[in-house]
Amino acid sequence: MKKWLIISVGLMVIGTTAAQDTTYFTVEYYTEIQSNFGKKFNWVNLLSLMGELPTEKISKRWKNGSFNIDLITIYSVFNERIIDDLMDFSNIDEDNLILNPFLLGYTHRWDKVSLFGGVRNVNIDYFATPYTTLFTNSSAGIFPTLDANFPLANYPLSAVCLHVEYQPTENWLLKSSLYNGVAHDPRRNPLRSFTVNPREDGIAGLSELSYSQNKFGSGVYSIGILVHAFGKYNAAYSLWGAIEQTVFDNDRREIGFLIHGGIAPYKKSECKFYYAAGGYFAGLFTKQKKDQLGIYFNEAIYTDIREQTMEITWQYQIMENIAIQPTFHCIRTGKKVACIGLFRAIFTVP
């Protein structure tokens, strides 16, 4: 299972925490060529169909609600990974899948609270900060201290979920999600995504408290916890924290950094520790910040091996709805070292 789906231009967060007053439908298409600079290469494609229907369009008396949907289709031409890395250098590379409900449900919003019920994916709500979403390494998103240890609703899977957000002030935000403890593979049975079986699967609860500010350069600081109760995991948990900070920003350029960390102290955890740091640069080569350059270093400590990776990625917005993103990865797993290059193109309609 991949660590997460990272939408490089931040469009996957489709506003499910707030009822909208307009109906919309969006299509996103990702196509990516991968190579190990040797004999292996792959071509991966991701199609995402997203839409939202405000309840006021159904009845003027039904306010502050919306129906949300996101269907994804994955097609890998060779359907074979070019290297056996643990943290997955590409966050869209997966086994072929047709029209899987990544998000399907209803959101209602009050003054400072929103509540969602339906089928949902963890990637929509957690770790999707502006700098983080640039990188293609899967673990730049949901850390392996979560994904490697728990059968979460991670890309491309989803599960039945209740998700609530509380924003008491402009700066503070508390998110909490309660999922069916196992995200079942829809390739075997499409209806398994709608499973609710806490006796066998347990339940997975995630909570994150974040603070954002723009006074000293924009920044987002968050801490979170995952608890998996019942089932075979018997109240295992994982903790994480993240910092994202802008240090320079004007109309033409932006510079910032990010720091990630995670721990899973449960004795049966496959991945015990994760930490990472990176830099973000926008507008280095173009005006109006049409290009973004990112450098990311991370390490995951598993029970019997360590993996370190370095990613250098550059995204350029050719047109309003078209972006390209060449990326280089250097990956060390134990004593094995591999270099990977990928070229990604992103198309958005409208």
Side-chain angles (χ1 to χ4, degrees):
M1 185 189 303
K2 293 293 173 261
K3 303 296 184 294
W4 76 322
L5 171 62
I6 185 170
I7 297 304
S8 302
V9 291
L11 292 171
M12 182 54 79
V13 183
I14 65 172
T16 57
T17 61
Q20 304 294 318
D21 58 1
T22 58
T23 302
Y24 77 87
F25 179 75
T26 301
V27 178
E28 289 182 351
Y29 171 58
Y30 291 70
T31 184
E32 178 178 284
I33 300 294
Q34 308 168 351
S35 172
N36 67 347
F37 303 104
K39 297 181 180 180
K40 291 186 177 182
F41 70 96
N42 199 3
W43 181 14
V44 182
N45 299 273
L46 167 66
L47 179 67
S48 180
L49 308 176
M50 299 178 288
E52 182 163 354
L53 175 63
T55 53
E56 289 191 47
K57 298 296 182 179
I58 301 173
S59 171
K60 293 184 179 180
R61 296 182 179 181
W62 192 355
K63 299 181 178 180
N64 301 321
S66 62
F67 293 97
N68 311 105
I69 187 171
D70 183 2
L71 302 177
I72 63 171
T73 295
I74 305 167
Y75 178 67
S76 177
V77 173
F78 298 101
N79 207 24
E80 179 182 356
R81 299 186 62 199
I82 61 176
I83 63 168
D84 292 324
D85 59 330
L86 299 175
M87 289 191 284
D88 300 331
F89 65 88
S90 172
N91 47 33
I92 69 169
D93 190 2
E94 251 294 348
D95 294 336
N96 293 345
L97 184 62
I98 299 177
L99 293 177
N100 183 53
F102 200 71
L103 173 72
L104 181 63
Y106 172 74
T107 303
H108 198 87
R109 184 171 181 84
W110 295 269
D111 182 26
K112 298 179 180 180
V113 179
S114 66
L115 177 65
F116 169 90
V119 171
R120 199 175 181 95
N121 183 281
V122 171
N123 312 137
I124 293 173
D125 305 298
Y126 301 95
F127 306 98
T129 51
Y131 292 170
T132 300
T133 54
L134 173 65
F135 298 98
T136 74
N137 185 300
S138 297
S139 291
I142 288 187
F143 306 158
T145 45
L146 281 74
D147 177 67
N149 299 323
F150 306 98
L152 296 177
N154 254 348
Y155 173 80
L157 307 183
S158 54
V160 173
C161 171
L162 286 175
H163 176 77
V164 62
E165 297 192 7
Y166 172 57
Q167 189 167 8
T169 69
E170 182 179 356
N171 303 104
W172 289 97
L173 177 62
L174 176 64
K175 302 178 182 180
S176 290
S177 308
L178 186 65
Y179 280 88
N180 187 65
V182 175
H184 296 281
D185 195 334
R187 300 177 186 92
R188 300 177 182 177
N189 183 347
L191 297 179
R192 293 297 301 277
S193 297
F194 300 89
T195 298
V196 180
N197 191 352
R199 176 174 293 183
E200 293 186 8
D201 297 339
I203 56 174
L206 298 92
S207 291
E208 181 183 76
L209 179 65
S210 62
Y211 177 80
S212 59
Q213 58 85 27
N214 294 297
K215 187 176 181 180
F216 305 103
S218 61
V220 181
Y221 325 104
S222 58
I223 55 173
I225 182 172
L226 161 67
V227 177
H228 197 293
F230 310 111
K232 64 180 181 179
Y233 291 91
N234 194 22
Y237 68 97
S238 177
L239 303 169
W240 74 84
I243 297 173
E244 188 171 290
Q245 179 64 54
T246 301
V247 295
F248 176 82
D249 189 13
N250 61 21
D251 293 337
R252 298 187 59 183
R253 291 182 176 86
E254 181 177 347
I255 301 173
F257 68 88
L258 53 88
I259 300 173
H260 294 161
I263 181 173
Y266 181 56
K267 63 180 180 180
K268 294 184 179 180
S269 297
E270 294 184 20
C271 181
K272 300 289 187 180
F273 301 99
Y274 175 80
Y275 53 89
Y280 173 90
F281 311 88
L284 291 183
F285 308 106
T286 63
K287 297 180 180 180
Q288 299 176 341
K289 304 178 185 179
K290 289 186 177 181
D291 71 290
Q292 302 175 80
L293 174 68
I295 303 174
Y296 191 74
F297 302 89
N298 63 356
E299 179 175 24
I301 302 175
Y302 295 83
T303 54
D304 55 353
I305 200 170
R306 295 186 178 207
E307 182 170 273
Q308 301 95 20
T309 79
M310 178 195 71
E311 175 183 347
I312 301 175
T313 189
W314 182 68
Q315 185 182 107
Y316 173 58
Q317 198 75 30
I318 299 177
M319 300 171 60
E320 182 179 358
N321 298 326
I322 302 175
I324 58 173
Q325 186 171 1
T327 303
F328 174 78
H329 293 269
C330 184
I331 303 165
R332 179 173 180 175
T333 307
K335 295 183 179 181
K336 296 181 180 180
V337 178
C339 293
I340 300 294
L342 61 85
F343 183 86
R344 177 179 294 182
I346 307 165
F347 304 88
T348 306
V349 180

